[in-house]
Amino acid sequence: MKRVLSVFLTVAMLLCLPVTTFAAEVEESQPSTCTVYTLNELKAALAAAADGDSIAIADCIEISDETVSSDKAVKIVRSNGFTDDMFVLGNQGGLSGLTIEDMTADFVNTVTVAIDTENAVIERCSFSGSSEHFVMFIVACGNAEITDCTFQTNGCLALSVPVPAAAVTVRNCTITDFTLPDGESAIANNGNLTLEQSKVYGNTGGIVNSGTLTVRASEIHGNGNSDITSRGQLNLAESSGDRLLYNAATGEQLSLPLSEYTDTATLLFLTEQEAADRFKPAPEPTPEPEPTPAPTPTPDDSDNDDDDTPPVSRPSRPSRPAVSKPKPTAPAPTLVCGNAVLDTSRSVVLQGYGDGLLHLEDSLTRAQMATILYRLLDEKSIAEYEAAEAAFTDVPADMWCSRYVSTIAKAGIVAGVGNGCFYPNDKLTWAQILTVLSRFTEPKACALQHIQYDGWAVEAVQTAVALGWIEDSADFAPNAIISRGDFMQLVNGVLTLYRAV
């Protein structure tokens, strides 16, 4: 009897074992997410993670003298509410084999290579974002090698090299599907950038170069109206594929290779057919046929030979319709601060904060204002004033808004708050905004009937009323904080007033 019972129990255990094992497998197959704050926590999480898991970065992780790597299909994401750099790489710091998604914040950097870094390495990494968000994937303020990486879908930069002394090599990388604000490109270079065996295509802007750019064996095409906008030095090897290089403004074909090319130009790589379609001359307008003059009627007085009554006088009919001459029109006024000109054909378009909303009621910061005004400057102004070096002690060269703040400061549009500071995160008032905008026009005197204000910005307020930028209303409070939505509406209204008809 005992023997039979023992056999029965053994069979029962064998029958139950697969069920338990299957249940455990099902449970283990569910992806998980953990949050890390330090480098050691990140390394431990990568070691423990399974394919499909996610690791959320909730604090800036600094990496020097080692490389954080993984061969697992694990996503590195930004923790909700975290708005600092995800990674900062110092000397011999590196990232390898990571899949990074950064799409929950605006005006942030994913990876920053610290200034004076000599040899940071980013290899076999994948970066993806959202076209609705303002994220800079890599800001290289020091020297770096970026190899075998992909960058896809973002509303800002794949790579920024803001420091003139920085040397960055991008090798065997692909950058595509970036939807950018007007005037922005997927790559912005103020330093020394070498692009080798890489692809930059399908973006709304390609590369803006204000430093030294060297391109070898790479494909750059299909990037809106500019594959390369160069304001610095450009070195281009022979083009790969069947595309040739053209000046986007003139249609002139440029011979490759180019060496130490320093002309300011917007360049496109096009096939011969694409070039023929883009630069074909406009058809000659078909002249309008002139109307046939109507014959002047001849009075018939054959039956009135003896009638002394004079013939009836009729007004003569003109031979063609009378056309009033157009009155000469004065040239459209411009918005100019010194030599810096706002391009009135553009408009302010706000970026969201990562939750699908524009946050129009949020307060406008000084950094956001600088970014928007920079994007409104015309190309000539950018070429003259663009600055990579830091203009203020609290806006270092590796900060996301440094390029924008430094440029408009160099142009004399803003002057900071004293003591070498800019206070980029401070909120702005209506009086401050009107003061900045009024620098683009001559002051206008205007007796305020309803606005009760005689403060420091009264001249700017009077100018705004006189020019129709704002209404002379008792409800207007110059010292009130201006919202993002009100700033967008104000500036777009001003641009419309100055737009040529």
Side-chain angles (χ1 to χ4, degrees):
M1 182 66 182
K2 291 181 178 179
R3 186 173 182 180
V4 173
L5 181 60
S6 176
V7 172
F8 175 77
L9 290 174
T10 301
V11 172
M13 291 176 65
L14 291 173
L15 291 172
C16 293
L17 182 60
V19 175
T20 305
T21 304
F22 177 74
E25 289 176 353
V26 172
E27 184 177 352
E28 290 175 2
S29 67
Q30 299 299 317
S32 63
T33 301
C34 69
T35 301
V36 300
Y37 294 84
T38 67
L39 175 58
N40 288 335
E41 289 176 355
L42 173 61
K43 292 191 290 186
L46 284 170
D51 288 348
D53 288 351
S54 297
I55 299 174
I57 306 296
D59 201 358
C60 179
I61 293 179
E62 299 181 3
I63 304 172
S64 296
D65 300 317
E66 64 178 303
T67 296
V68 174
S69 64
S70 175
D71 291 322
K72 300 175 182 178
V74 176
K75 288 192 298 186
I76 308 297
V77 300
R78 179 181 294 273
S79 180
N80 287 332
F82 175 53
T83 57
D84 202 348
D85 299 352
M86 291 174 67
F87 299 98
V88 173
L89 304 183
N91 283 327
Q92 298 183 1
L95 299 172
S96 178
L98 301 185
T99 299
I100 303 174
E101 290 186 359
D102 196 355
M103 54 179 66
T104 61
D106 274 315
F107 305 108
V108 293
N109 302 341
T110 306
V111 180
T112 295
V113 177
I115 196 165
D116 296 331
T117 293
E118 295 185 2
N119 47 2
V121 174
I122 304 170
E123 61 180 9
R124 299 186 302 106
C125 290
S126 170
F127 294 83
S128 61
S130 166
S131 60
E132 299 178 356
H133 303 302
F134 196 94
V135 176
M136 290 187 278
F137 284 145
I138 299 177
V139 178
C141 301
N143 300 345
E145 288 194 7
I146 305 168
T147 307
D148 299 318
C149 293
T150 61
F151 303 81
Q152 188 169 10
T153 311
N154 198 13
C156 190
L157 296 170
L159 171 65
S160 172
V161 186
V163 178
V168 178
T169 298
V170 176
R171 184 179 296 109
N172 198 31
C173 293
T174 299
I175 300 170
T176 188
D177 199 25
F178 279 62
T179 303
L180 305 153
D182 288 343
E184 297 289 346
S185 294
I187 297 176
N189 175 51
N190 290 292
N192 301 277
L193 175 62
T194 299
L195 201 68
E196 296 181 344
Q197 299 175 330
S198 294
K199 298 179 179 179
V200 182
Y201 69 94
N203 310 293
T204 56
I207 303 173
V208 171
N209 173 52
S210 299
T212 299
L213 173 65
T214 301
V215 181
R216 304 188 187 102
S218 296
E219 297 181 27
I220 307 172
H221 61 87
N223 298 291
N225 291 319
S226 172
D227 288 326
I228 299 176
T229 297
S230 187
R231 304 163 184 144
Q233 184 180 111
L234 184 61
N235 303 294
L236 292 179
E238 292 289 347
S239 177
S240 60
D242 58 350
R243 288 182 166 82
L244 303 173
L245 183 64
Y246 295 87
N247 185 309
T250 65
E252 175 192 3
Q253 180 185 333
L254 303 179
S255 298
L256 293 176
L258 288 181
S259 180
E260 298 183 356
Y261 182 82
T262 56
D263 289 357
T264 297
T266 298
L267 306 175
L268 291 168
F269 287 93
L270 304 170
T271 65
E272 290 186 2
Q273 184 59 54
E274 289 171 339
D277 292 341
R278 181 181 181 91
F279 301 120
K280 64 183 178 182
E284 292 289 335
T286 303
E288 295 183 4
E290 293 192 5
T292 303
T296 303
T298 302
D300 183 7
D301 24 357
S302 58
D303 297 333
N304 302 318
D305 289 345
D306 299 327
D307 191 349
D308 293 333
T309 305
V312 177
S313 174
R314 297 180 176 89
S316 62
R317 195 175 189 180
S319 61
R320 63 183 63 189
V323 178
S324 59
K325 295 182 179 179
K327 296 180 180 179
T329 57
T334 55
L335 291 168
V336 183
C337 176
N339 290 327
V341 181
L342 294 186
D343 184 348
T344 57
S345 68
R346 300 180 181 179
S347 298
V348 177
V349 178
L350 296 180
Q351 302 290 321
Y353 278 170
D355 55 5
L357 302 175
L358 294 177
H359 293 270
L360 298 178
E361 300 303 321
D362 285 6
S363 302
L364 181 78
T365 67
R366 294 171 61 85
Q368 292 169 349
M369 173 202 67
T371 303
I372 291 170
L373 291 180
Y374 172 92
R375 292 179 187 157
L376 292 175
L377 292 174
D378 65 11
E379 290 190 3
K380 184 177 179 181
S381 301
I382 295 292
E384 180 174 353
Y385 293 112
E386 188 164 38
E389 65 276 7
F392 302 98
T393 58
D394 56 349
V395 186
D398 59 349
M399 190 173 181
W400 68 267
C401 61
S402 176
R403 170 188 174 194
Y404 313 123
V405 172
S406 296
T407 299
I408 68 170
K410 184 177 179 181
I413 300 169
V414 296
V417 295
N419 297 322
C421 294
F422 183 72
Y423 293 177
N425 297 318
D426 271 17
K427 301 172 183 178
L428 285 161
T429 66
W430 279 88
Q432 290 170 323
I433 286 296
L434 293 179
T435 298
V436 172
L437 292 178
S438 67
R439 291 172 182 156
F440 288 89
T441 187
E442 294 295 326
K444 303 288 184 183
C446 177
L448 301 177
Q449 302 296 322
H450 304 289
I451 296 175
Q452 302 300 310
Y453 179 73
D454 59 357
W456 64 273
V458 65
E459 185 178 78
V461 174
Q462 290 177 346
T463 298
V465 171
L467 295 175
W469 297 356
I470 62 172
E471 293 183 5
D472 185 2
S473 169
D475 295 332
F476 179 71
N479 292 324
I481 299 296
I482 189 170
S483 70
R484 287 161 49 89
D486 284 339
F487 177 71
M488 177 180 68
Q489 186 175 9
L490 170 67
V491 176
N492 283 342
V494 172
L495 294 173
T496 301
L497 290 173
Y498 285 78
R499 192 166 294 154
V501 179

